Amino acid sequence: MSVPFPPPVHSDCDRLAAADTGLRDAAANLDLDRGQFAWCRDHRAALLRFHRSPPSAWLGAHEHERHALRGTFCRARGIPILRRLTGGGASYRDAHQLNLTLTVALGADVTRPPLGPWPALLGRALQTALERLGVAAHFAPPHHLEIGGRTLGEVFIAVREGVLIAEAHLLRAIDAAGMLRVLRVPKEKLTPEGIRSARHRFAALDDPTLAAGAIQSAAHEAISGVLGLAPVAVAPAAWPAPTRAGTDADRGPPGDVGGNAPTRITHRPPADPAAAPAINRAEPHELEGFVKAGGGVLYGGLRPDPSGRTIESLVVHGDIQFHPHGLLRDLSAAMAGVRLDAALERLKTFLAHRPCELLGFTAADLERLLRLLLGRRVLQSRLGLSAAEAGRLMIHDPAGTTDAPALLARAQAMLVPYCAKPTWCKWRHRDGCPECGRCAVGEAYRLGRARGMQVITIRNFEHLETTLADLRDARVDTYLGMCCRHFFLKREYAFRAAGIPAVLIDITGANCYELQQEELAYAGRFAAQAELNLPVLRKVMAAVPACGPPIAARRAPRSTVPDGPTSKLQPEMTDRR
């Protein structure tokens, strides 16, 4: 196995001590992680701990609970929510997973220890360990261990106070339903079919002849090898004492669970789930938005001061990894009091003069996020939107250079989700609308048709993909759409593949994600009704000028077959009965 770089381990480290502390409640494991980190920092040591936890939800170090987890479900079921010491996305742990925490004091002469090579170095070490046991695993960047393309585990890292912290987990069994219920943006859908599908996306070390002790020994030896240290086993009783959270360095992003969320968010599940402590949620930032980057999602919140001319606070968070650990907190401090019209330049100056390493996202992504947040302010003034209404808009701009009003001025089509039509409407699963006046969708059709826009009801996910392809072929500049932000985050690749800028309005009401019926929704069989935000839609449409003849009149159709690939772009034959 090739080593990506010579690991800059502290010269005082000559061995990697390891122990298995067994099954403990999640909060106790977090305290042991913190104690292990403090010991390595103070004694320039290297430690490796194997451990297990009952069902628990673990946020990444820089995540906000409301974007990552189904917190209400967790508290109702007594599932504790904790914050890892490392970055990356939220994860679900249970007693059938083997977790490991590695802490290594880094060289005193390393002023900026590289972060990027560590996931590959440790992931490949675990790959080697499993290969020695006859398991055909391999490391798949950026942080996955896989067997035959299915996820076996993940590796997350951080460097804090001169100590490398790595956390990894390996599945010994698969609780797909637990994962999907706890994580807010699951990879699959919570239906029997979706759960079965999720199980096929994961792999487990479920061979009964493969003992946990053998896996631990192989991992200990392989990790020691890449670090150049001697493997030494120690008794759990000799392990460093646990340490409770309590410093600013152990807190999550501002605004999460009552301001600066401590590492331990829920210490232990109450005996009675109904007695779970109330969560003191901070007031949301006035202007909010998000951008999808290669390595995760960046969320931002910007609150102007009462004058509306300067930044009172700026918060950035997400399922991301970077170094130094306090980078985003320092960014928030640097942006406070900056004039809005100077904010982008201040951000560029901060990043240019602050040495940092960003994994899976770039300075350009941060600039794109700030530009989006500043654009919310423009939307408020030009469209007469409140801060909450401006937050309902999602801007998909592949080039990242155009503001929402400019996009709306070029909008030529409108996409409406079928789930916003009433369940009793015969047009719910059909394109078109008679504008009977009994639902918000009819008003959307009326507003769009009045401006010469082609209005299309999206009937399922496959229909969305073909519709976007047809809009691209028709050389549509921009379109206006409606969908929930969960759908946009999960299926952002489909919007990106089309390459067409869009302004999307977040829908409300019965949401297939919150109702855990995504599979039905994607297939066009969702039975509940979502709601279009009609006040926002009316204000947005006021910025859309008449765009001339319908799209179908501006292009030669590729197909005239009913329900064929381009029938959606033909002039509507609307039944108004």
Side-chain angles (χ1 to χ4, degrees), residues 142-224:
H143 52 73
H144 284 93
L145 279 163
E146 297 181 350
I147 296 178
R150 297 184 295 162
T151 299
L152 172 66
E154 294 177 297
V155 179
F156 298 111
I157 58 170
V159 173
R160 303 172 63 171
E161 300 181 52
V163 176
L164 167 77
I165 309 169
E167 298 181 84
H169 66 265
L170 300 173
L171 297 175
R172 296 280 284 167
I174 302 171
D175 179 9
M179 293 181 192
L180 302 187
R181 290 188 172 97
V182 166
L183 303 180
R184 178 163 290 279
V185 187
K187 299 293 191 296
E188 296 293 337
K189 301 85 178 173
L190 244 180
T191 63
E193 296 82 3
I195 292 172
R196 284 194 292 271
S197 176
R199 289 196 185 103
H200 289 300
R201 295 188 66 257
F202 294 95
L205 301 173
D206 52 5
D207 185 343
T209 65
L210 193 60
I215 299 172
Q216 294 172 13
S217 296
H220 186 194
E221 181 179 350
I223 294 173
S224 298

Side-chain angles (χ1 to χ4, degrees), residues 42 54 58 165 204 212 221 229 239 272 290 333 342 383 482 545 556 567 576:
D42 298 340
W58 293 76
I165 309 169
E221 181 179 350
L229 304 176
W239 204 251
D272 177 9
F290 62 88
L383 305 185
M482 297 92 174
S567 62
R576 295 181 179 271

Side-chain angles (χ1 to χ4, degrees), residues 61-74:
H62 314 293
E63 283 190 297
H64 198 302
E65 178 196 324
R66 67 190 177 96
H67 294 306
L69 302 173
R70 300 183 192 270
T72 301
F73 173 85
C74 292

Side-chain angles (χ1 to χ4, degrees), residues 168-390:
H169 66 265
L170 300 173
L171 297 175
R172 296 280 284 167
I174 302 171
D175 179 9
M179 293 181 192
L180 302 187
R181 290 188 172 97
V182 166
L183 303 180
R184 178 163 290 279
V185 187
K187 299 293 191 296
E188 296 293 337
K189 301 85 178 173
L190 244 180
T191 63
E193 296 82 3
I195 292 172
R196 284 194 292 271
S197 176
R199 289 196 185 103
H200 289 300
R201 295 188 66 257
F202 294 95
L205 301 173
D206 52 5
D207 185 343
T209 65
L210 193 60
I215 299 172
Q216 294 172 13
S217 296
H220 186 194
E221 181 179 350
I223 294 173
S224 298
V226 298
L227 295 177
L229 304 176
V232 177
V234 300
W239 204 251
T243 302
R244 290 288 186 91
T247 66
D248 285 343
D250 300 314
R251 298 179 182 273
D256 188 14
V257 196
N260 293 331
T263 306
R264 179 186 294 99
I265 294 178
T266 302
H267 181 59
R268 288 180 175 82
D272 177 9
I279 298 300
N280 176 24
R281 296 189 182 278
E283 288 296 318
H285 282 76
E286 185 174 352
L287 303 168
E288 295 187 322
F290 62 88
V291 298
K292 186 77 175 289
V297 180
L298 286 165
Y299 294 92
L302 185 151
R303 180 183 293 124
D305 72 351
S307 74
R309 293 190 293 270
T310 63
I311 295 175
E312 180 178 301
S313 65
L314 172 69
V315 175
V316 178
H317 51 91
D319 55 343
I320 48 179
Q321 302 183 87
F322 54 84
H323 180 71
H325 189 77
L327 175 69
L328 295 184
R329 287 187 172 277
D330 293 344
L331 173 62
S332 296
M335 298 299 293
V338 175
R339 290 182 59 89
L340 293 178
D341 57 9
L344 277 170
E345 191 60 36
R346 181 69 183 93
L347 172 63
K348 294 177 182 178
T349 300
F350 173 85
L351 294 174
H353 292 86
R354 178 64 188 269
C356 61
E357 185 177 2
L358 313 177
L359 296 188
F361 69 105
T362 65
D365 292 320
L366 288 170
E367 292 175 20
R368 188 157 55 103
L369 176 63
L370 180 56
R371 190 178 291 110
L372 174 65
L373 297 175
L374 295 172
R376 301 287 196 216
R377 192 69 173 175
V378 176
L379 283 172
Q380 284 185 272
S381 60
R382 293 191 187 178
L383 305 185
L385 298 170
S386 68
E389 288 174 333

